[in-house]
């Protein structure tokens, strides 16, 4: 009987150009290919056939002798997954500028994906004008990944619902409860807005107006809810004129309207942050054109972070959105869904920003 070959005694083939295979490792180690697979590709949960330490070392020595490196593509196919997570943005152009408000989200997404061992695929269908402009099957390509993360205020409900019903792992970055079955992560805009209103009330403001865009995006609704709850908690009045909602704030938020509000006793204005920054930009412009001093005559607060191109302006009172943390939380949730686990990420708290645009109201003469 021919003696069993031992690792180290049989040299690896010289001058080969192909990748060594597990079958070769098995022949060199004198074991079955199944044993090699168990040693070199253990199950993540640690379950499986028990391999003796002697056999394990023999397989590892054979693999080193041959220069064997596991083929990541083969391992992914064997697991029926690609170890790829998709990212799809519902903006006209996928944001790559570091000044874009989505950039910090993507930083958190990339870091967490790398930490969990996933690669990312950026789907660029939105570059043609949004998912809706790319046709009824705009989202079908995301199935190339194991699951997909969606970013943006307005999503094509029917296509997203079809993905969810097919069991495809989906996570939306942002609070989004209106589409059943879509997992999401979000910031606690309600509590953060309540805190901003409470701060203005402590400064002495008794009439405050919220300026927001005219849409039903969950982030906007959360901010309005927090604003009204903040007024109620502080014992301040609210009514139809307390919230100024406009589809075009630049057109509707005029200096004359600002002066009229100030004449009626409004001393503070709060604006929501959006992708365009329209509410905050229009509010700043109207205050200046009306000749009102900030924070002397009117105080201003921004429910979010200011647009990057307004970095030279005084830092606004308000709160900052923890974008990198939200991106990381979205990846953790998506990875859990891909693995077939039930999971839910808690709301991420925003950080209050004292800023320079709010102060005690000036005494009326």
């Amino acid at each position: 009987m021919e003696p069993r070959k031992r690792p180290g005694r049989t040299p690896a083939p010289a001058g080969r150009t192909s990748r060594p295979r597990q079958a070769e490792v098995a022949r060199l180690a004198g074991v079955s290919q199944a044993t090699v697979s168990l040693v070199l590709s253990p199950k993540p949960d640690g379950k499986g056939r028990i391999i003796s330490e002697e056999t394990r070392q023999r397989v590892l020595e054979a693999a080193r002798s041959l220069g064997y490196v596991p083929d990541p593509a083969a391992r992914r196919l064997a697991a029926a997954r690609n170890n790829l997570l998709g990212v799809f943005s519902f903006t006209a152009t996928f944001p790559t500028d570091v000044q874009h408000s989505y950039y910090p989200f993507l930083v958190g997404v990339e870091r967490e994906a790398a930490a969990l061992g996933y690669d990312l695929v950026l789907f660029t269908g939105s570059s043609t004008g949004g998912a809706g402009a790319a046709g009824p099957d705009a989202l079908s390509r995301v199935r190339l990944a194991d699951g997909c993360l969606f970013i943006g205020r307005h999503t094509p409900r029917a296509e997203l619902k079809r993905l969810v019903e097919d069991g495809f792992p989906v996570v939306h970055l942002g609070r989004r409860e209106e589409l059943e079955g879509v997992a999401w992560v979000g910031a606690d805009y309600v509590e953060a807005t309540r805190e901003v209103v409470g701060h203005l009330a402590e400064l002495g403001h008794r009439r405050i107006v919220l300026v927001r865009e005219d849409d039903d995006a969950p982030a906007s609704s959360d901010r309005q809810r927090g604003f009204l709850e903040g007024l109620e908690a502080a014992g301040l009045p609210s009514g139809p004129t307390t919230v100024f909602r406009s589809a075009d704030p630049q057109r509707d938020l005029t200096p004359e309207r600002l002066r009229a509000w100030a004449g009626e006793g409004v001393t503070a204005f709060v604006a929501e942050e959006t992708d365009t920054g329209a509410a905050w930009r229009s509010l700043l412009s109207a205050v200046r054109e009306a000749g009102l001093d900030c924070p002397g005559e009117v105080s201003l607060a921004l429910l979010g972070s200011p647009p990057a191109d307004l970095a030279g302006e005084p830092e606004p009172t308000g709160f900052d959105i923890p974008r990198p943390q939200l991106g990381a939380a979205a990846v953790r949730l998506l990875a859990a869904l891909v693995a077939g686990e039930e999971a839910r990420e808690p709301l991420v708290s925003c950080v209050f920003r004292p800023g320079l645009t709010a102060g005690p109201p000036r005494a009326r003469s």
Side-chain angles (χ1 to χ4, degrees):
M1 180 182 231
E2 185 177 327
R4 184 172 55 189
K5 296 180 180 180
R6 306 289 293 179
R9 295 181 181 176
T10 302
R16 71 178 297 157
T17 58
S18 61
R19 178 194 297 269
R21 296 174 298 170
Q22 282 192 2
E24 296 175 67
V25 176
R27 284 196 297 269
L28 185 57
V31 298
S32 69
Q33 187 171 340
T35 298
V36 173
S37 179
L38 287 171
V39 172
L40 300 181
S41 304
K43 294 184 178 181
D45 60 5
K47 298 177 181 179
R49 206 176 77 199
I50 297 177
I51 305 297
S52 71
E53 183 60 21
E54 179 188 359
T55 301
R56 194 176 76 85
Q57 288 301 325
R58 201 160 68 241
V59 170
L60 293 176
E61 288 174 15
R64 281 193 292 268
S65 175
L66 289 170
Y68 174 82
V69 177
D71 184 351
R75 292 179 65 177
R76 289 168 182 171
L77 286 173
R81 293 211 303 263
N82 298 316
N83 275 16
L84 298 176
L85 299 182
V87 181
F88 195 108
S89 170
F90 295 105
T91 54
T93 303
F94 196 87
T96 55
D97 190 333
V98 296
Q99 294 186 338
H100 196 287
S101 62
Y102 282 0
Y103 180 79
F105 286 127
L106 299 177
V107 169
V109 167
E110 181 184 25
R111 289 175 179 170
E112 192 67 18
L116 296 178
Y118 283 93
D119 290 316
L120 294 175
V121 180
L122 304 182
F123 292 98
T124 56
S126 53
S127 63
T128 57
D137 296 321
L139 301 189
S140 61
R141 288 175 299 141
V142 304
R143 297 175 186 268
L144 293 171
D146 299 326
C148 192
L149 169 64
F150 294 94
I151 306 175
R153 288 167 66 86
H154 305 288
T155 60
R157 292 173 56 87
E159 293 182 61
L160 204 54
K161 183 178 180 182
R162 192 180 310 125
L163 287 175
V164 174
E165 290 175 345
D166 289 345
F168 183 76
V170 166
V171 171
H172 193 283
L173 209 167
R175 184 159 187 157
R176 187 159 294 275
E177 294 178 315
E178 70 272 22
L179 188 55
E180 183 179 358
V182 175
W184 54 269
V185 297
D188 192 350
Y189 295 132
V190 175
E191 182 56 34
T193 303
R194 282 172 55 101
E195 186 175 5
V196 171
V197 174
H199 175 71
L200 294 173
E202 289 177 359
L203 290 174
H205 295 279
R206 293 294 172 263
R207 292 282 306 280
I208 307 173
V209 168
L210 169 66
V211 178
R212 59 164 293 187
E213 294 185 28
D214 188 21
D215 64 32
D216 294 315
S220 297
S221 300
D222 282 355
R223 286 177 170 92
Q224 179 169 325
R225 175 186 159 195
F227 175 77
L228 296 176
E229 289 183 1
L231 292 180
E232 182 179 4
L236 302 183
S238 64
T241 60
T242 305
V243 177
F244 179 74
R245 184 166 171 163
S246 170
D248 188 352
Q250 187 174 3
R251 177 196 64 199
D252 299 331
L253 196 59
T254 62
E256 293 74 22
R257 187 182 294 272
L258 261 292
R259 283 193 288 265
W261 270 328
E264 296 169 1
V266 176
T267 59
F269 296 90
V270 177
E272 68 166 344
E273 177 197 351
T274 63
D275 298 345
T276 64
W280 180 245
R281 296 176 191 276
S282 301
L283 182 58
L284 286 179
S285 177
V287 167
R288 285 173 181 154
E289 291 182 30
L292 298 172
D293 175 64
C294 172
E297 293 178 282
V298 293
S299 286
L300 305 179
L302 174 61
L303 305 178
S305 306
D309 60 341
L310 297 181
E313 299 286 343
E315 183 181 49
T317 298
F319 61 77
D320 288 312
I321 301 170
R323 288 181 167 85
Q325 293 91 323
L326 282 166
V331 171
R332 287 194 300 270
L333 179 55
L334 183 56
L337 295 178
V338 168
E341 302 170 0
E342 290 188 11
R344 181 178 180 181
E345 285 283 336
L347 289 175
V348 179
S349 298
C350 299
V351 181
F352 176 74
R353 184 181 59 239
L356 302 172
T357 59
R362 182 179 298 174
R364 298 173 65 89
S365 56

